[in-house]
Amino acid sequence: MTAEKQQEHTSSQVKDELLHVQFGDFIFDLGQDELIHHHSRAITKLEPQVSQLLHLFVTHPAEVLSKEYLQDTLWPNTIVEQNSLYQLLTKIRRLLNDSSRSPQYIKTLPKKGYCFIAPVTRYHPQAKPINDSVINNTNVSEPNYLWLWLVPALIICFSAYAFFSQYDVAPETPQYQLQDVSYELGLESDVDVHISENLMAYVKDIYTLHISNKQGQVLHQLNSPYRVAFPTWQSTGSLLAYWRYKEDQCELFIMTPQGAQNHQAPSIACESAIRPVWKSSDELVLSVLQKGQLTPYLYRISQQDLVKLPLSMPRQSIYKGAVKVWNGDVFYLLNHANHQSSLIKLNGETVMNWDFPVWLAAYNPKTQAIITNDSSQRHALVATHLDGRQYEVYQTAQGLFTNVSIDQQGDIYTAIESWQVNIRDKDQLPIFSTSSIDYLPVSNRLGETAFMSRRSGVCEVYLHADNQVVRLSHHKGYEYVQFLEWRPDLSMLLSNRDLDLALYDRQGQVLQFTTELNEKIRNIGWYNNNTVYAFDGQQLHFYNLQGHLINTIHLDAQFVYFDAQAKRWLRLKNRILYSQDDLNSTGTELAKLTTQQTNLLHNIRLKNNTLYWQSSWSKQDYIWRLPLEAGQDANIVKQGNLIWHFDISPYEELTIAKMEALEGDIKRLVATSIKP
C-alpha cells in the first residue's frame, strides 16, 4: 500500500471508529453529545447543531472546511444565512475557552473556511480514571497512525492560511482590534461608557441594568420588574439616565453610579424610545416613538419640563435620533425617502450626508469622526469625517452591531448580538433558518407558506411550497416589507414596500406601484380577486391589478380590514370593533377592547370567523384571539418577549416567528495604528 493510500485508509478508519476523542483539555463523546473537561470532569450537554459542528471538526482535524460545506452539512435543503454558522462557532469557542484571535482549536482562514488545529486522539472510556501521563501515552505499544497524517495535514493547513492571508485586503486606517469586555451567557446590550471616567453601563437580559468599570467588572446591579433600555452617562458629571417601559408609558430615570435614584421624570405616553442625549447637566434630548413616529423632545430636569423640538426637516424624511458631536453640540439624524441620510442642525441646515440609511451613530472625540452602521445596516461600522472622508472601522462575522459608545481615548464599545429564528412547517420542521431582522409568515389552505426576510437591510419575499423555498423578489434597496396577504383564490400575493405595493405570483414579482398615501401604511388587503386596498389611518385607497388608483374613502380608524369570506369590513375606532357591510354605515359593534389589547396593534389575521392580532404592553408581546360574534371577549393566545410575527393556519394552528438562541456581548474596538 502506498503512503498516500495508507494515509487515506487510516484517515477513513479514524473517522469511522472515533466515538470518543480527546483534544487539549477536553474529551468529546460523539454519541452522547457531551463535552467533558479533562481536569474538572465537568460535563456539558451540547445542543444538537453545536455537537454536529464539533463532530465535523474533530473528524476532519487539520483539514480546511469551507463555509459552504459546513452550511450544507448542518442545514441540508434549507436556506440559511452565513451568520447562523458564526453563532455555532461562537458557542463552541466559548465552551472551549478559545479565541478567534489566538486560537488553540479552531482557526479562521480568511476567504477559505475553518481548520481544527488541535491534535485529536482517540480516547477509550473503559480505561481507568485518566491522568496526564495516561493521556500523553495513549496506545504507546502500537503505532498511532493518526499522527502520520496529522503532521503533514497541519503543514498544509498553515500553508493555506499563509497563502490566503497574503491576498487579504488590509483595512483602511485607523486599524482596530476587537477585544472582549463582557462574555457571559445571555444577552448584554445597550452599552454606554462614560467619556472620561472608568464607568460603563449596559442592559443584561432585558430586565437588569449593570453598572461596571470599562474592564467589565460589575459594580452595581439594578433588577427591574419592567424592561429597561438605553442607559446613558452624563459627559460632564457621573449621573446615568435610562428608560423603563411600563405598560404604554416610557419612564425616564436618573441614578448615581452607586445605584441611588437621583430623579424620575413624569411618564410619557409612547410606543418605544431610543437613547437619550445629555445636552447639558440639566437638559436631555429625548427621542420617543409615538403613533409610529419618532419625535425629539427637550427635557429640563430642574423644571421637569418636556418641550417638543421644532425640528425642520424635508417632507417624507424620518427622524432617527440625536447625536452630540463637535464642540458638544447636538445634531439630528434623518433618513430620507431616497434611502440616504443626513445630519442636520435644529434649523434644518445639513452638516453631513450618507448615501445609505443610517440608524446607528456615535461621535469619536479622538478622531473627530462619526461612527455609524454601513450600507449592510448591521454587519460593519464605518467612520465619516466632516470633509467626507470615510473608511471602514470594523466588520464582524460574530453577529450584528446593535449600538455604539465611544470614550475620549477613542475606544469604541459596542454590543454585538446574534440570534436564530426558525420559521417552521406544520410538522415543526424548519423551512427557513437565519439571523435576519424580520419575518412575516402567512400560510394558505394549500399548505404553502409565504414569508419575508429582511437580510442585510434588504427585504425579500419567499415562498415555501412542495418542500422547496423560492425567492419571489430580488431587490437591492432598503424598502421595508411589513404586510403580506394571499389573494382570495390563492393565486397571488400582495405586500407593501414602504409606501408602495407589490404583487407576486409563484414565479416572482409581477408589479410594484406607489400608493400615493401621505402617512405610514397601517394595513393592506384584498377586496376581491381584482382589487387591493391600502389604509393609512385617514385614507383608504383602492387599486386594480395594474396599479391604478380607482377609489378613495376618507376614514378615521385605527385599522380597517376586509373579510373577503363574509363580505364585510372590520373597523377599529376608539378601541371599539365594528362589523360594517358598507363603510358609510354605522355598523354593528362586535367588542370593546382594552388599551392593552390595542396598544401597538399589528399583524392582523382572520381565520374561520375569528380575528387574531398582536399587541405590546410593557414591551412584552401578546397574541390575541376574538371570535367575531357579538358579545365575545378577546383572550390571550400567547405572550412573551421578542415575538416578531405569527401566523394562524387554516386549522387555527399557531406559528410563531420568535428570536431563539438569543445572545449578545459587549466588545471594545481599540485603535492599534493611526496614520497622520
Side-chain angles (χ1 to χ4, degrees):
M1 183 182 293
T2 65
E4 181 178 355
K5 291 290 186 181
Q6 181 178 1
Q7 176 178 323
E8 180 179 347
H9 172 75
T10 305
S11 174
S12 176
Q13 185 181 44
V14 169
K15 293 175 185 178
D16 291 339
E17 295 179 1
L18 286 180
L19 290 178
H20 299 77
V21 297
Q22 180 178 334
F23 51 87
D25 295 328
F26 298 93
I27 299 164
F28 180 32
D29 185 338
L30 284 72
Q32 299 298 320
D33 294 341
E34 291 179 349
L35 187 66
I36 307 166
H37 193 275
H38 165 57
H39 298 294
S40 67
R41 288 306 201 183
I43 299 175
T44 302
K45 187 71 174 180
L46 303 181
E47 300 173 22
Q49 283 186 317
V50 173
S51 179
Q52 188 178 358
L53 179 56
L54 186 55
H55 190 159
L56 290 172
F57 280 132
V58 300
T59 53
H60 298 77
E63 296 183 29
V64 180
L65 304 181
S66 70
K67 298 175 183 177
E68 292 75 15
Y69 167 76
L70 294 174
Q71 288 176 339
D72 291 343
T73 304
L74 294 168
W75 295 280
N77 303 318
T78 302
I79 297 178
V80 61
E81 258 196 1
Q82 194 177 60
N83 200 51
S84 300
L85 175 60
Y86 297 144
Q87 293 175 38
L88 297 183
L89 286 166
T90 299
K91 290 179 180 180
I92 291 178
R93 282 173 169 149
R94 286 184 181 180
L95 291 168
L96 302 179
N97 296 318
D98 199 18
S99 168
S100 59
R101 298 189 303 274
S102 303
Q104 300 180 53
Y105 300 104
I106 303 172
K107 194 174 192 70
T108 301
L109 302 177
K111 302 180 182 179
K112 189 62 177 176
Y114 303 93
C115 182
F116 197 82
I117 60 176
V120 178
T121 58
R122 277 175 285 177
Y123 163 64
H124 301 283
Q126 68 271 21
K128 298 294 183 181
I130 298 177
N131 55 50
D132 288 342
S133 61
V134 173
I135 290 180
N136 293 332
N137 294 282
T138 302
N139 297 328
V140 173
S141 61
E142 59 181 83
N144 191 343
Y145 292 105
L146 182 61
W147 289 97
L148 294 179
W149 63 270
L150 182 58
V151 173
L154 279 170
I155 295 174
I156 294 172
C157 181
F158 283 107
S159 298
Y161 175 73
F163 176 82
F164 287 101
S165 293
Q166 66 178 321
Y167 291 99
D168 271 359
V169 179
E172 295 185 69
T173 56
Q175 298 179 14
Y176 286 88
Q177 182 183 47
L178 188 69
Q179 300 176 352
D180 297 328
V181 178
S182 169
Y183 213 62
E184 305 170 7
L185 292 177
L187 175 64
E188 292 93 51
S189 61
D190 293 355
V191 61
D192 191 73
V193 290
H194 197 285
I195 191 168
S196 57
E197 298 183 26
N198 188 20
L199 290 171
M200 181 174 73
Y202 60 92
V203 175
K204 172 69 176 175
D205 294 332
I206 299 177
Y207 294 102
T208 303
L209 178 62
H210 279 183
I211 296 176
S212 71
N213 57 28
K214 293 179 181 178
Q215 293 72 47
Q217 180 182 2
V218 177
L219 307 174
H220 179 76
Q221 176 176 312
L222 173 68
N223 297 314
S224 171
Y226 302 99
R227 287 184 63 170
V228 292
F230 300 117
T232 307
W233 292 103
Q234 276 182 321
S235 55
T236 56
S238 57
L239 295 178
L240 181 73
Y242 67 93
W243 288 110
R244 189 177 80 168
Y245 300 122
K246 181 180 179 182
E247 298 178 351
D248 59 348
Q249 304 285 310
C250 290
E251 299 179 331
L252 180 72
F253 288 86
I254 299 175
M255 63 187 296
T256 68
Q258 295 75 34
Q261 182 172 315
N262 177 272
H263 179 79
Q264 179 178 353
S267 299
I268 304 171
C270 78
E271 298 160 9
S272 187
I274 64 172
R275 184 178 302 282
V277 173
W278 288 87
K279 186 176 181 181
S280 67
S281 59
D282 188 56
E283 295 179 329
L284 297 100
V285 175
L286 306 181
S287 301
V288 181
L289 188 67
Q290 297 171 313
K291 296 182 179 180
Q293 181 176 348
L294 197 64
T295 304
Y297 291 91
L298 180 68
Y299 178 68
R300 293 186 178 89
I301 299 173
S302 59
Q303 304 296 323
Q304 295 193 4
D305 188 23
L306 187 70
V307 182
K308 183 178 179 180
L309 288 169
L311 182 62
S312 178
M313 49 193 288
R315 184 177 176 272
Q316 291 191 330
S317 294
I318 302 173
Y319 169 67
K320 299 298 289 185
V323 187
K324 192 171 185 177
V325 289
W326 308 278
N327 301 319
D329 294 331
V330 176
F331 292 165
Y332 304 89
L333 180 65
L334 302 182
N335 283 185
H336 306 298
N338 61 0
H339 306 297
Q340 297 181 355
S341 301
S342 61
L343 194 69
I344 69 169
K345 296 181 179 179
L346 189 63
N347 63 6
E349 179 185 345
T350 300
V351 178
M352 183 178 289
N353 292 298
W354 294 268
D355 60 1
F356 53 86
V358 172
W359 61 273
L360 175 67
Y363 176 65
N364 190 336
K366 182 77 171 182
T367 62
Q368 298 186 14
I370 294 183
I371 309 299
T372 70
N373 59 278
D374 72 339
S375 58
S376 73
Q377 296 288 287
R378 290 178 182 264
H379 291 286
L381 300 176
V382 297
T384 306
H385 290 262
L386 264 176
D387 59 6
R389 183 167 58 96
Q390 191 174 92
Y391 52 84
E392 184 177 281
V393 172
Y394 199 84
Q395 186 171 9
T396 179
Q398 301 180 24
L400 306 176
F401 291 108
T402 56
N403 80 298
V404 172
S405 178
I406 310 171
D407 64 15
Q408 65 183 6
Q409 302 301 319
D411 290 346
I412 302 173
Y413 292 76
T414 178
I416 298 181
E417 298 180 30
S418 62
W419 55 80
Q420 189 80 16
V421 176
N422 291 320
I423 294 181
R424 301 179 183 273
D425 63 15
K426 60 182 176 61
D427 299 317
Q428 293 303 301
L429 298 175
I431 61 174
F432 191 81
S433 179
T434 182
S435 58
S436 179
I437 302 170
D438 228 328
Y439 294 95
L440 195 62
V442 54
S443 59
N444 63 27
R445 297 188 304 279
L446 298 175
E448 300 171 320
T449 299
F451 57 93
M452 180 274 290
S453 173
R454 186 169 62 177
R455 308 170 66 187
S456 301
V458 180
C459 288
E460 302 289 7
V461 174
Y462 293 81
L463 176 64
H464 176 255
D466 299 324
N467 297 318
Q468 293 183 335
V469 175
V470 179
R471 186 169 69 176
L472 300 182
S473 62
H474 299 270
H475 284 265
K476 295 182 179 179
Y478 303 96
E479 295 93 345
Y480 180 47
V481 177
Q482 191 178 5
F483 309 98
L484 197 56
E485 296 279 345
W486 281 103
R487 183 172 164 172
D489 66 3
L490 307 182
S491 65
M492 297 185 73
L493 280 160
L494 170 69
S495 82
N496 77 303
R497 285 193 171 273
D498 287 347
L499 291 179
D500 288 356
L501 294 183
L503 294 168
Y504 312 85
D505 60 20
R506 284 173 171 76
Q507 283 72 49
Q509 182 172 308
V510 176
L511 178 69
Q512 181 170 330
F513 59 93
T514 180
T515 61
E516 301 181 21
L517 293 172
N518 296 322
E519 304 294 336
K520 180 180 177 181
I521 297 176
R522 295 198 180 185
N523 59 282
I524 64 174
W526 292 85
Y527 182 68
N528 55 43
N529 286 329
N530 300 307
T531 308
V532 299
Y533 64 87
F535 178 63
D536 68 355
Q538 299 294 329
Q539 296 185 93
L540 179 64
H541 284 186
F542 294 84
Y543 315 86
N544 61 25
L545 298 192
Q546 289 72 49
H548 299 139
L549 179 64
I550 57 178
N551 191 22
T552 297
I553 297 176
H554 295 279
L555 194 66
D556 180 20
Q558 191 165 351
F559 78 81
V560 289
Y561 191 86
F562 188 67
D563 182 351
Q565 185 174 0
K567 305 298 182 184
R568 62 176 175 179
W569 289 96
L570 300 175
R571 177 185 181 187
L572 181 67
K573 182 178 180 181
N574 298 327
R575 300 201 301 274
I576 299 177
L577 182 66
Y578 297 93
S579 172
Q580 299 177 229
D581 296 330
D582 183 348
L583 286 174
N584 295 318
S585 65
T586 304
T588 303
E589 181 179 318
L590 293 178
K592 292 182 178 179
L593 305 180
T594 66
T595 304
Q596 179 181 0
Q597 292 167 342
T598 58
N599 188 55
L600 296 181
L601 187 150
H602 59 293
N603 290 350
I604 301 168
R605 296 285 186 267
L606 183 60
K607 293 290 170 68
N608 302 331
N609 201 38
T610 302
L611 186 68
Y612 297 83
W613 71 92
Q614 193 169 338
S615 73
S616 179
W617 193 249
S618 296
K619 293 294 283 186
Q620 190 172 54
D621 301 303
Y622 293 82
I623 299 174
W624 302 89
R625 178 182 185 274
L626 175 66
L628 293 180
E629 300 170 0
Q632 296 293 315
D633 294 327
N635 61 287
I636 297 174
V637 177
K638 188 76 174 179
Q639 70 181 81
N641 291 311
L642 306 174
I643 298 175
W644 285 349
H645 295 292
F646 75 96
D647 185 38
I648 299 293
S649 76
Y651 310 103
E652 296 196 56
E653 299 168 326
L654 177 66
T655 299
I656 295 177
K658 183 180 183 297
M659 283 187 182
E660 302 171 8
L662 182 65
E663 294 183 3
D665 297 305
I666 308 302
K667 307 285 188 179
R668 177 171 51 237
L669 292 167
V670 180
T672 56
S673 62
I674 299 178
K675 291 183 180 180

